Amino acid sequence: MKKTYITLFLPIIILLFSACGRGKSHQTNAPSNDSTQVAITEKTAKPDINFYIENSGSMLGYINGVTEFEQILYNYLTDIEISQVANSLNLFYINEQTFRQPYDLKKYIGDVEPNSFASKNGTSDISDILANILSVTNDSTLSIFVSDCIFSPGKGISADKYLVNQQIEVKTNTANYLNKNKLAITIYQFNSKFNGRYYNRVDAPTTINDVRPFYVWILGNPKHVAELQRQIPDSKFIGEGVQHKASLSSVTDEIKYSILPTSGNFKLDKINPLHIIEAQKSTGNRSDKNKFTFIINADFSPYSLDKEYLHNANNYTIDNRDYSISLSDSRQNGYTTSIKLTTEQLQPTSIGVNLLINMPQWVNDMNDEEGLDIMQEGAMAKTFGIKYLIGGLYDAFTQKSNIYTTLKVNIDTK
Amino acid sequence: MKEFFGNIYTWFESLFGKELSEHLWGYECETGTYLTNLYNQVGVMTLIISLLVAILFYYIINHPRFNRWWSWVIVLFINGLVNMLYAYQFVLSDFRAGKISDCLMYIRNEKSGEVVSQLIEEGNCLMFGYTNFIVATLFFIIISFIVKWKSPNAKHAPFL
């Protein structure tokens, strides 16, 4: 009897221990995102970076004394140098013309003197400067432009008409560029001490010593713009940092997104995991009882949009009115945004979640429509005509479509 | 056919948890896709072990003293136990080696990334072991009634 049970047990035990431990058979076949990211970075050639600071008379107040303007830009340029994100870094002052500067970050901006900074010409047309910069921006050259972005129509010119015309010029120049090139633009707004002359829309000066906004624009191939921001994220700007941000991109590559299988009462098709099957409403005592819920994790990093934009439900539409949306950071590596969709009307359907190209609300909030009296309440923190300048860009990018991307999901019920 | 074993195990998904089930289906959080179906590995091995035990009982041991229903039940139980230990060790090794995808293992704070709660514990692995005890038992019953008829001395176990 004992022999019988030993005969029974022994081969089974041998088989069991040989089966335990799965060795390498379950190693994922998919390459890790990190190794893929490194491979892409290595294969994409580094761009040349042209750094332009507008040096018209209206900018002098930003370099009078030790200001956040100087510190933020000096630190940013140093970060660009250290990160080795650029093949070369070229420094310029710009107004109606472009003036190349010797490569000395401290003299260029860190410790710049008004005499060496100010242009003898004094004025600048922003839309012309942008057109000039775009003309030298291409797949191998990324441009960074720093300015107060104030329009200067001058005396005797209708400001309203001037601003609309400027918006159309910006739109035209940008649209023409987009017809031939891929383009991403990121605009940061910062604050800095300003001690000097402020010129209003009719070029009348007012001496002020207060805090004023200035803008840093990044323009170039979307991959280079995204890589620059990956290497030097917003959090690296010193002082009070980025106050506001606007981003536009003509990226058309497919966005990575997936459905979190544990986010609701359903299963996923194993062949096509963007197809929900056996969907049912939740039961139990949770807040989403009698509702159907699921979460999409999406990677919107190619668009360089900030969290404020990505978490705003007004920047999305769903082509199924039965569903509501809520947004948060994704907790999953390789994804930026978690999109939770909920409905009480569960039925088989296809859903498209559209990420819209919307001008951020701050652009309207920061716009000074009058541009006459800087001492008027609220005017100090605003920029004359900024919504027309940035609005022209959005008009260009939304010529063909106002949607960045659509996330599509099919749902079948149990 | 590819989902045959998975469909059997998911009858009992409520015992060991949906998160562990998704891991066994092969779900990979970073890509959002299903890669290697581990249910197939577990299912095939359980089937093979159950078949070997049945053959051992009916054709190798093949003793008249085992031609009784309770002898068969003892072997049924041993088969279940062996497969339970196998399945438990199978998932436990993944659990301890950190091979289960993060989104299946944890709920994290969206700002800090810190773990708020753990979705899969060692207890889930043990419950998968119990599940495989049940599945192995079902396999052994079916296999017994297929293979027993030519057994010279044990074909009447458990009955007929």
Side-chain angles (χ1 to χ4, degrees):
Chain A
M1 193 65 167
K2 281 185 186 175
K3 278 189 185 175
T4 306
Y5 280 107
I6 291 169
T7 312
L8 181 68
F9 272 121
L10 196 56
I12 295 166
I13 292 167
I14 292 169
L15 194 65
L16 177 67
F17 280 100
S18 68
C20 282
R22 297 190 291 105
K24 295 177 184 175
S25 61
H26 182 50
Q27 291 302 321
T28 174
N29 294 323
S32 71
N33 281 348
D34 285 341
S35 62
T36 307
Q37 186 65 38
V38 168
I40 289 172
T41 305
E42 288 171 351
K43 287 182 182 174
T44 307
K46 294 179 186 178
D48 298 317
I49 293 183
N50 291 340
F51 200 100
Y52 303 90
I53 301 179
E54 187 202 339
N55 68 335
S56 60
S58 66
M59 297 290 289
L60 276 176
Y62 288 113
I63 60 161
N64 191 356
V66 177
T67 63
E68 290 85 354
F69 179 87
E70 291 170 322
Q71 292 171 333
I72 287 169
L73 296 180
Y74 186 30
N75 184 69
Y76 189 41
L77 281 161
T78 306
D79 281 344
I80 291 174
E81 189 179 59
I82 294 170
S83 67
Q84 298 185 323
V85 68
N87 183 47
S88 69
L89 179 57
N90 309 303
L91 309 176
F92 302 88
Y93 294 143
I94 189 170
N95 48 78
E96 291 173 358
Q97 298 175 57
T98 307
F99 305 93
R100 181 137 191 180
Q101 302 301 306
Y103 190 81
D104 184 333
L105 298 184
K106 202 169 182 184
K107 281 188 180 168
Y108 176 65
I109 188 62
D111 205 12
V112 65
E113 295 296 326
N115 288 338
S116 58
F117 178 78
S119 162
K120 290 174 186 175
N121 297 323
T123 60
S124 55
D125 187 306
I126 292 292
S127 63
D128 286 345
I129 292 177
L130 272 177
N132 190 358
I133 291 173
L134 270 179
S135 70
V136 294
T137 302
N138 51 49
D139 283 346
S140 60
T141 304
L142 188 148
S143 297
I144 301 176
F145 168 54
V146 183
S147 169
D148 57 5
C149 291
I150 300 174
F151 284 117
S152 302
K155 289 179 187 173
I157 306 247
S158 161
D160 295 342
K161 193 175 175 184
Y162 176 85
L163 290 174
V164 170
N165 286 344
Q166 287 288 298
Q167 180 168 352
I168 295 170
E169 264 191 54
V170 169
K171 169 185 162 184
T172 305
N173 292 333
T174 310
N176 287 338
Y177 186 91
L178 282 168
N179 284 337
K180 298 170 193 168
N181 305 280
K182 289 186 180 176
L183 178 65
I185 301 178
T186 294
I187 303 168
Y188 292 115
Q189 187 242 310
F190 299 95
N191 286 335
S192 172
K193 283 180 205 157
F194 182 99
N195 184 5
R197 285 186 167 190
Y198 169 83
Y199 294 89
N200 68 5
R201 77 170 198 232
V202 294
D203 288 336
T206 305
T207 302
I208 60 174
N209 185 358
D210 209 315
V211 174
R212 287 276 305 149
F214 72 95
Y215 301 84
V216 174
W217 296 51
I218 304 172
L219 307 96
N221 180 287
K223 286 183 181 166
H224 293 315
V225 173
E227 179 60 18
L228 176 64
Q229 290 180 85
R230 193 185 73 82
Q231 296 270 6
I232 308 171
D234 300 356
S235 56
K236 283 215 169 178
F237 287 101
I238 60 173
E240 290 182 6
V242 178
Q243 300 298 305
H244 296 290
K245 181 179 175 182
S247 292
L248 286 157
S249 177
S250 63
V251 155
T252 54
D253 297 343
E254 278 197 21
I255 292 297
K256 181 177 85 166
Y257 65 102
S258 65
I259 300 171
L260 184 61
T262 54
S263 59
N265 197 350
F266 60 87
K267 297 186 184 210
L268 294 178
D269 186 325
K270 303 300 180 285
I271 308 293
N272 175 17
L274 296 175
H275 180 192
I276 289 175
I277 55 178
E278 299 185 30
Q280 299 178 79
K281 291 184 183 180
S282 295
T283 55
N285 295 324
R286 292 166 50 171
S287 59
D288 51 1
K289 184 181 175 181
N290 289 331
K291 296 178 186 174
F292 173 66
T293 301
F294 67 98
I295 291 175
I296 302 173
N297 283 316
D299 177 17
F300 292 133
S301 58
Y303 300 126
S304 302
L305 299 165
D306 63 1
K307 287 181 190 181
E308 190 184 333
Y309 189 93
L310 291 173
H311 292 179
N312 184 347
N314 292 326
N315 295 325
Y316 297 82
T317 58
I318 309 170
D319 56 9
N320 185 316
R321 290 183 181 181
D322 292 335
Y323 282 81
S324 61
I325 189 172
S326 66
L327 302 138
S328 60
D329 278 345
S330 176
R331 299 160 198 154
Q332 197 51 44
N333 279 343
Y335 298 97
T336 57
T337 310
S338 184
I339 303 167
K340 184 176 180 181
L341 294 165
T342 306
T343 185
E344 293 181 16
Q345 312 294 331
L346 176 60
Q347 51 193 345
T349 187
S350 289
I351 293 180
V353 180
N354 305 305
L355 176 63
L356 301 177
I357 305 175
N358 280 344
M359 192 164 74
Q361 180 57 35
W362 71 261
V363 177
N364 287 308
D365 296 340
M366 291 295 299
N367 182 60
D368 179 353
E369 195 71 26
E370 290 243 332
L372 279 173
D373 182 7
I374 192 66
M375 296 303 187
Q376 193 176 29
E377 188 179 346
M380 192 66 70
K382 295 186 179 183
T383 301
F384 173 60
I386 190 70
K387 84 169 186 187
Y388 295 89
L389 176 58
I390 297 180
L393 296 177
Y394 276 85
D395 290 344
F397 274 84
T398 55
Q399 278 280 330
K400 293 175 184 173
S401 168
N402 70 333
I403 294 174
Y404 274 119
T405 189
T406 300
L407 312 180
K408 292 180 184 171
V409 173
N410 291 322
I411 298 174
D412 283 318
T413 56
K414 193 165 185 176
Chain B
M1 191 62 199
K2 286 182 185 178
E3 298 178 14
F4 171 74
F5 289 107
N7 288 334
I8 293 174
Y9 285 103
T10 50
W11 292 341
F12 310 97
E13 190 180 84
S14 57
L15 292 178
F16 55 92
K18 184 174 181 181
E19 291 81 12
L20 184 57
S21 179
E22 289 294 332
H23 168 68
L24 288 162
W25 276 117
Y27 187 77
E28 218 272 336
C29 294
E30 286 201 6
T31 59
T33 55
Y34 292 90
L35 299 176
T36 309
N37 185 342
L38 300 175
Y39 276 132
N40 285 346
Q41 227 167 310
V42 176
V44 166
M45 188 56 69
T46 301
L47 193 62
I48 290 173
I49 293 173
S50 301
L51 178 63
L52 287 175
V53 170
I55 290 173
L56 196 67
F57 176 77
Y58 286 111
Y59 294 98
I60 298 174
I61 299 170
N62 187 31
H63 199 285
R65 294 181 77 173
F66 280 80
N67 197 19
R68 291 177 175 81
W69 68 268
W70 50 264
S71 301
W72 180 88
V73 169
I74 291 170
V75 175
L76 174 83
F77 181 81
I78 292 170
N79 178 64
L81 196 62
V82 165
N83 282 289
M84 177 183 126
L85 291 172
Y86 160 70
Y88 173 56
Q89 282 299 317
F90 186 92
V91 290
L92 191 66
S93 68
D94 274 4
F95 175 84
R96 288 184 175 165
K99 288 183 181 176
I100 300 178
S101 257
D102 194 88
C103 74
L104 301 177
M105 276 292 298
Y106 306 108
I107 294 177
R108 292 183 180 273
N109 180 292
E110 63 184 52
K111 290 182 181 173
S112 65
E114 286 177 6
V115 173
V116 172
S117 69
Q118 189 165 331
L119 299 171
I120 300 175
E121 313 254 358
E122 286 199 16
N124 296 92
C125 301
L126 184 61
M127 291 310 295
F128 183 67
Y130 287 139
T131 299
N132 209 39
F133 181 100
I134 299 169
V135 172
T137 299
L138 292 170
F139 284 170
F140 187 77
I141 292 170
I142 295 168
I143 291 168
S144 291
F145 280 92
I146 294 172
V147 305
K148 75 185 188 104
W149 305 106
K150 299 285 186 180
S151 173
N153 295 309
K155 67 178 177 185
H156 296 297
F159 49 80
L160 295 180

